[in-house]
Amino acid sequence: MSEQQDDKTRKVNILSAGTEVGHYTIVERIGAGGMGEVYLAEDTKLQRRVALKFLPLQLAEDEEFKSRFVREARAAAKLNHPSIITIHEVGDFQGRPYFAMEHVDGVALGAYGKEQQLTAKEAISLFEQLASGLAHAHSSGIVHRDIKSANIIVDNDRRPKILDFGLASSLDDDRLTKAGSTVGTIAYMAPEQVQGKPVDARSDLFSLGIVFYEVLTGNSPFRRSNEAATLNAILSDEPPPLTESRPDVPNDLARIIFRLLQKDPDLRYQSASDLNSDLKLLNISGSAPMVSTIGHVTAKRSSTLKSWLPYLVIATIAVVAMVFWPRGSSGPSASGTQGIVVLPFENLGSEEDQYFADGITEEITARLARIGDLRVISRTSANQYRHHNKSLAQIGDELNVEYVLEGTIRWDKSGEVKRVRIVPQLIRVADDSHLWAQTYERTLDQIFAVQADIAMEIAGALELTFAGTGTQSDAAKQTENERAYDFYLRGSDYLEQAKYEIAIEMLEQAVALDAEFGDAWAKLSRAESRYAFTRPDNFRAEHVESARKAAEKALALDPNSPEAHIASGNLHYYGHRNYEAALEEFEIALTGKPNDADILSLKAFVKRRQGKWDEALALLEEASRIDPLSWSLSAELISTLRMMRMPKRALAEAGRALELSPDNDRLHLELGKVYLGFEPPERAAELLEEMSKETASWVINDLSVQLNFLSHDWDALRKLRLGRDISAIEDPLRRGQVYFGVGEFYYCAGMIDSAKAYMDSALAIIRPMAEEFRGTPEATADLILMTAAGLAVNDSAAAIRLVERAKAMLPASYDAIRWAEHNRLVAATYVAANMYDEAIQVLDTLMAVPTSLTVIELEHHCYWSALQSLPRFQNLIARYRKPAQS
């Protein structure tokens, strides 16, 4: 046996070939995971090969981990099933716990599926055995909690075995199911596990559904490019239909997996035994008795989709319309002020702590933004340099800044008291000189004071002062609760990504742990307000009320807090559409954070809703100077310039932005809309063909639909709109939308009888929804207008009555953007009802203000074909046909 010394001079036993562990002799190391190292060994008593699993060396002295490790062995040792690895005994080797288990010659399930694509029957057979194994474990009171492909071995006889009950817990073990506790492997977690809620047998079944889907398709249904996106996908996204990638899979099997992957545990299989029974029956007879349960699931999904109805509707019927989703950032940049960029601090800890380093970087950036004479580049632009090989001189030149702040962060969680080590350094770009550097080593509860100290030190080094009152006082008014701060950082990250539901959950945890945490209340209010803006249905009011309470709490804790005033402004804008009150709050926030990007962006978005486009454009352009690398801000600029009918400037901004972000689909989409709005269809088609080499197919597909309506290419449009069995679409809302889209195609193609038939099918579904819906004015008007458009080809009098009702509900003063979108559809409905003069009057009004409507559309879109021969319409086109503005 060999030995070595660690940095504490303690003797450490190295396990290598020939090491004797009791009556076992090590052969070789065969694997390692978060909870153990695994060695192949010879059992000298029974003359057999076994696998020995040891607690990792660095955790061997941690009593909590040792206890958990032993609990793993005891949990697994209770189980005796051919689809579960057998545990032989538990032991201890010189203070290092281990257990001996059955050694299986085979490969992990993921690798097994990649070696040869499994047929549906082979997969059913494998998962029938796995379901049986889980049923046995669950009946013994054991939940695995970490079902994944890597924890399932397929032996040489093609029999699967579940191993590594490293995260298993007894069903009555509250220590592992308390609120806020999340363990497991992220891409395989059930939604309740992600949320830190108690788990049970149904959580294992969700994870098994992910593995099942993965084995059949070769792709994970929820894995995304980063942890945050994966967590959001588990909570919010539906997996792509299984039959898209595996059309050979029986529908009954697809429905089994669909049920396993339900977000709501009550809608999944309630036991592994039930799952095993359905798989067994499917394996024998080729069918499974699931009609009633699938019907229940479908009803649940329909009600969920119904809450999003208004935005789905307007997207379907207003082909060229653009809904502005406020995002991006801006900030005032006074001429001659010094500029600084805070580069993403390097995380020296584990990869899972990256969010912590990002959060600290953002907080320091926000504090620097309170320095009155300092122009601070926003986080979105700074993040472009996360993995860069550029010199500081290049960065300074690209961002037009004189200073760079960079640093490192290490979060040490090994002891009882968690400590953070932050090493920032301020560098002058001109001569690459270090003006200031410091090492801060603090406990986690002191982190706010550290952020404040860093900002103060930089202000001193640059001989600048903070703006507003009480700027630094809030360092002592935040939290000393490390878990609250952890939830706050996670919630802030999700809010930045517009993942509002998860952000709300994280921030609610933060304020529950510390009710005096002012910034957490402010961020919670912002998340609730933004979420309310996306929920125009009857559930919206509760989110607005939650936003109000959180904003009031933040202001009560610190009336001078810019974050609290930003939250209050968000509430007035997104929650109440009280634009003047929102602007007042944002102005107050600017006194404390004169260089904050978000505040001026928000002001720009309010101005657009008020119809004050020139002011909005000026604010967005100033924001772009502060945040020159933000693709989302560029997309907003392109959209605004397009709506203001300034195509040359829009194209210039698109070219600049795409040079920096050449693979950004949103930017390509905005560029394509400029082409369609201001180029003849033939030229637009050439430009889109060239663009198709550089962007995603969904972008080209969306733009092609619009192009085909302009160019009257009915054959191409037929391929996009037809070619599937509409009656087979399970969700009724989606089915109604598709019926409407096909009816719209036939109407434009002049096939009126077919148009009427499809519109009737659409109305049978959509009209009852419109009659019972009671939501925001814009949402209700959306539904009424879609119903009116569907009625126009059959009952013009009824359609016009609905149009007049919708027009009264949404004046331009309420929302200039949505008003314009609605009136475009109003004009199209007038045309369908042969009310040409009324239609031309509406179009004239729309052409006089910024909207998505352009002369190209008036000349070419099939909506206006019936108007082309009318002198009044030609006069309208002539009045607005003018050289494109720069």
Side-chain angles (χ1 to χ4, degrees):
M1 186 189 313
S2 61
E3 297 180 346
Q4 72 177 25
Q5 304 291 318
D6 69 5
D7 58 354
K8 297 180 182 178
T9 71
R10 175 177 56 83
K11 291 185 177 181
V12 178
N13 295 289
I14 302 301
L15 297 169
S16 57
T19 301
E20 294 182 358
V21 180
H23 57 91
Y24 303 105
T25 301
I26 298 291
V27 177
E28 63 181 345
R29 187 172 184 265
I30 57 176
M35 276 299 293
E37 296 172 307
V38 183
Y39 293 83
L40 178 64
E42 189 75 27
D43 183 343
T44 58
K45 283 187 178 180
L46 300 177
Q47 300 298 306
R48 62 181 176 181
R49 288 285 177 98
V50 298
L52 301 182
K53 183 171 182 181
F54 291 80
L55 187 67
L57 194 61
Q58 67 272 22
L59 301 178
E61 293 185 352
D62 188 312
E63 292 302 320
E64 179 183 350
F65 277 95
K66 286 175 68 173
S67 175
R68 181 173 162 194
F69 186 88
V70 173
R71 183 166 62 249
E72 170 189 350
R74 289 174 178 168
K78 295 180 182 179
L79 308 176
N80 182 18
H81 189 277
S83 293
I84 297 176
I85 291 288
T86 301
I87 300 297
H88 299 312
E89 70 170 312
V90 181
D92 185 278
F93 178 62
Q94 297 186 356
R96 192 176 180 190
Y98 73 91
F99 61 82
M101 60 184 174
E102 167 189 11
H103 175 251
V104 178
D105 279 323
V107 296
L109 180 58
Y112 180 75
K114 288 179 180 178
E115 289 176 359
Q116 54 175 358
Q117 186 179 59
L118 300 180
T119 66
K121 189 172 181 63
E122 289 171 335
I124 291 169
S125 178
L126 279 175
F127 281 84
E128 178 189 335
Q129 297 174 69
L130 291 170
S132 177
L134 279 180
H136 173 73
H138 294 162
S139 68
S140 301
I142 304 298
V143 180
H144 191 288
R145 297 169 66 94
D146 196 26
I147 294 293
K148 58 184 177 182
S149 299
N151 277 343
I152 299 170
I153 298 293
V154 180
D155 67 19
N156 294 334
D157 293 323
R158 299 186 179 182
R159 294 174 303 191
K161 286 182 177 285
I162 305 170
L163 52 85
D164 199 357
F165 274 74
L167 300 173
S169 69
S170 298
L171 290 173
D172 60 353
D173 189 347
D174 291 334
R175 293 168 299 173
L176 287 183
T177 59
K178 62 185 178 181
S181 169
T182 55
V183 293
T185 303
I186 287 175
Y188 296 86
M189 283 184 176
E192 60 271 22
Q193 205 169 359
V194 168
Q195 295 166 323
K197 296 178 180 178
V199 302
D200 57 28
R202 298 170 299 178
S203 307
D204 279 353
L205 295 180
F206 184 94
S207 301
L208 188 67
I210 293 176
V211 176
F212 212 157
Y213 185 103
E214 204 172 57
V215 165
L216 286 169
T217 67
N219 298 309
S220 171
F222 303 115
R223 189 188 301 275
R224 301 295 186 264
S225 60
N226 57 61
E227 174 187 330
T230 299
L231 292 173
N232 180 67
I234 290 170
L235 292 172
S236 306
D237 293 356
E238 292 294 335
L242 185 67
T243 50
E244 281 187 0
S245 52
R246 285 295 299 269
D248 60 315
V249 168
N251 288 334
D252 282 337
L253 177 55
R255 284 195 289 267
I256 287 176
I257 297 173
F258 172 76
R259 187 177 176 191
L260 285 169
L261 295 179
Q262 288 302 302
K263 312 295 185 188
D264 185 345
D266 290 338
L267 300 181
R268 294 176 211 145
Y269 283 93
Q270 297 303 289
S271 73
S273 295
D274 289 342
L275 170 63
N276 177 254
S277 297
D278 273 354
L279 289 171
K280 190 183 296 292
L281 184 60
L282 186 59
N283 202 13
I284 295 172
S285 64
S287 63
M290 295 179 292
V291 175
S292 62
T293 55
I294 293 300
H296 177 53
V297 171
T298 302
K300 178 91 172 188
R301 293 181 70 220
S302 298
S303 66
T304 300
L305 284 171
K306 188 174 177 181
S307 70
W308 292 84
L309 174 64
Y311 290 107
L312 293 172
V313 167
I314 203 68
T316 301
I317 58 181
V319 178
V320 184
M322 164 67 185
V323 179
F324 281 84
W325 293 101
R327 60 175 69 218
S329 56
S330 69
S333 174
S335 176
T337 58
Q338 300 180 83
I340 188 172
V341 60
V342 182
L343 297 181
F345 277 30
E346 183 182 359
N347 170 38
L348 299 182
S350 65
E351 186 177 346
E352 66 183 18
D353 293 336
Q354 183 61 53
Y355 79 94
F356 181 79
D358 290 343
I360 298 297
T361 306
E362 180 182 11
E363 293 295 311
I364 292 173
T365 303
R367 290 183 184 278
L368 290 175
R370 303 183 187 189
I371 300 177
D373 295 321
L374 186 64
R375 180 171 54 87
V376 182
I377 297 298
S378 75
R379 180 188 178 192
T380 50
S381 284
N383 278 346
Q384 306 298 317
Y385 298 96
R386 181 181 299 278
H387 303 293
H388 71 90
N389 55 6
K390 296 182 178 181
S391 68
L392 294 185
Q394 287 178 288
I395 295 174
D397 183 61
E398 290 177 3
L399 297 176
N400 189 28
V401 296
E402 291 77 25
Y403 304 99
V404 170
L405 182 70
E406 59 182 11
T408 60
I409 292 178
R410 184 186 295 278
W411 183 6
D412 182 4
K413 296 181 280 188
S414 60
E416 288 188 14
V417 178
K418 298 179 177 64
R419 302 186 66 83
V420 180
R421 181 186 177 95
I422 303 177
V423 183
Q425 50 186 341
L426 179 66
I427 303 169
R428 182 163 48 212
V429 172
D431 55 8
D432 202 25
S433 60
H434 287 60
L435 300 183
W436 167 83
Q438 184 64 272
T439 298
Y440 297 89
E441 194 160 336
R442 301 285 192 274
T443 56
L444 195 58
D445 61 320
Q446 299 171 322
I447 198 66
F448 283 99
V450 171
Q451 294 163 7
D453 288 346
I454 292 172
M456 290 291 287
E457 293 278 6
I458 291 173
L462 301 180
E463 298 182 349
L464 300 171
T465 58
F466 282 83
T469 60
T471 305
Q472 292 304 301
S473 65
D474 61 344
K477 295 180 181 179
Q478 296 304 328
T479 187
E480 296 181 357
N481 187 307
E482 63 184 46
R483 291 187 64 218
Y485 186 62
D486 184 51
F487 279 117
Y488 167 75
L489 290 182
R490 291 180 186 271
S492 298
D493 190 45
Y494 286 123
L495 177 60
E496 181 76 15
Q497 300 175 61
K499 311 298 185 184
Y500 304 125
E501 286 183 275
I502 308 179
I504 289 169
E505 292 172 6
M506 297 292 105
L507 293 165
E508 283 179 337
Q509 293 273 18
V511 297
L513 290 164
D514 186 350
E516 305 299 305
F517 193 171
D519 278 3
W521 282 110
K523 286 286 180 70
L524 175 59
S525 178
R526 292 177 67 177
E528 290 279 14
S529 294
R530 293 294 298 270
Y531 190 47
F533 192 63
T534 70
R535 295 294 301 267
D537 57 8
N538 299 334
F539 295 99
R540 179 177 184 274
E542 65 185 68
H543 293 289
V544 173
E545 178 62 14
S546 296
R548 181 190 66 79
K549 291 178 179 178
E552 288 180 353
K553 180 69 173 178
L555 283 168
L557 288 168
D558 186 355
N560 294 317
S561 166
E563 298 298 335
H565 286 285
I566 294 172
S568 183
N570 271 261
L571 172 64
H572 288 304
Y573 173 33
Y574 295 115
H576 300 307
R577 295 299 183 93
N578 186 338
Y579 300 135
E580 291 303 327
L583 290 173
E584 289 177 9
E585 290 294 329
F586 295 145
E587 285 298 332
I588 295 172
L590 276 173
T591 63
K593 299 181 73 175
N595 294 310
D596 183 83
D598 285 338
I599 301 174
L600 229 65
S601 288
L602 287 165
K603 287 185 63 177
F605 302 146
V606 172
K607 295 290 186 181
R608 286 195 309 204
R609 300 284 172 177
Q610 290 180 309
K612 299 177 180 179
W613 290 85
D614 288 335
E615 294 179 46
L617 179 59
L619 292 166
L620 289 171
E621 287 178 328
E622 184 63 29
S624 185
R625 286 190 284 273
I626 293 263
D627 199 0
L629 303 187
S630 169
W631 66 262
S632 60
L633 180 55
S634 291
E636 296 291 356
L637 257 176
I638 297 166
S639 297
T640 301
L641 291 165
R642 174 174 59 83
M643 299 279 273
M644 295 178 74
R645 303 187 183 92
M646 298 180 176
K648 290 184 179 179
R649 291 179 63 182
L651 289 171
E653 176 60 27
R656 185 193 72 83
L658 282 167
E659 185 175 351
L660 297 169
S661 303
D663 299 324
N664 190 283
D665 293 337
R666 169 80 188 280
L667 291 174
H668 279 106
L669 184 64
E670 294 300 335
L671 175 61
K673 289 180 179 180
V674 177
Y675 290 155
L676 292 171
F678 299 95
E679 296 283 354
E682 298 80 8
R683 175 59 178 158
E686 294 174 2
L687 293 168
L688 293 183
E689 176 65 26
E690 187 65 25
M691 184 191 293
S692 67
K693 303 171 185 176
E694 303 171 353
T695 190
S697 59
W698 71 265
V699 173
I700 299 302
N701 187 75
D702 284 1
L703 295 172
S704 295
V705 170
Q706 300 178 39
L707 174 64
N708 292 333
F709 274 107
L710 291 171
S711 61
H712 301 191
D713 188 343
W714 309 128
D715 287 338
L717 192 56
R718 185 191 305 272
K719 295 176 182 178
L720 292 170
R721 283 287 169 97
L722 302 178
R724 57 174 162 169
D725 182 6
I726 302 176
S727 63
I729 299 174
E730 293 185 359
D731 177 65
L733 169 61
R734 180 60 185 155
R735 189 165 63 251
Q737 290 176 311
V738 175
Y739 276 129
F740 187 96
V742 175
E744 180 186 42
F745 156 71
Y746 279 122
Y747 170 75
C748 280
M751 304 171 68
I752 303 302
D753 288 341
S754 295
K756 288 181 177 180
Y758 278 97
M759 288 297 186
D760 284 344
S761 296
L763 287 170
I765 298 170
I766 294 168
R767 193 171 188 177
M769 293 182 179
E771 291 172 353
E772 70 179 32
F773 186 80
R774 298 293 182 270
T776 59
E778 68 270 29
T780 306
D782 284 347
L783 285 170
I784 293 171
L785 284 173
M786 186 173 187
T787 303
L791 282 172
V793 296
N794 283 326
D795 187 345
S796 60
I800 298 308
R801 286 195 296 272
L802 288 173
V803 162
E804 296 305 317
R805 178 183 165 198
K807 286 169 62 179
M809 295 179 66
L810 197 73
S813 59
Y814 179 81
D815 186 333
I817 296 173
R818 296 297 295 277
W819 168 84
E821 293 167 0
H822 285 176
N823 274 276
R824 179 181 177 278
L825 189 59
V826 166
T829 305
Y830 280 146
V831 172
N834 299 318
M835 297 175 64
Y836 299 153
D837 285 342
E838 290 82 353
I840 294 171
Q841 181 59 49
V842 173
L843 294 173
D844 198 349
T845 301
L846 291 177
M847 288 298 295
V849 297
T851 69
S852 63
L853 189 64
T854 65
V855 168
I856 289 292
E857 181 184 336
L858 292 177
E859 290 181 315
H860 296 281
H861 200 288
C862 58
Y863 276 5
W864 323 121
S865 295
L867 305 178
Q868 297 297 328
S869 62
L870 301 178
R872 185 182 173 190
F873 185 71
Q874 289 302 317
N875 290 336
L876 169 68
I877 291 175
R879 277 192 290 117
Y880 290 104
R881 182 186 287 116
K882 55 185 177 182
Q885 301 179 48
S886 60

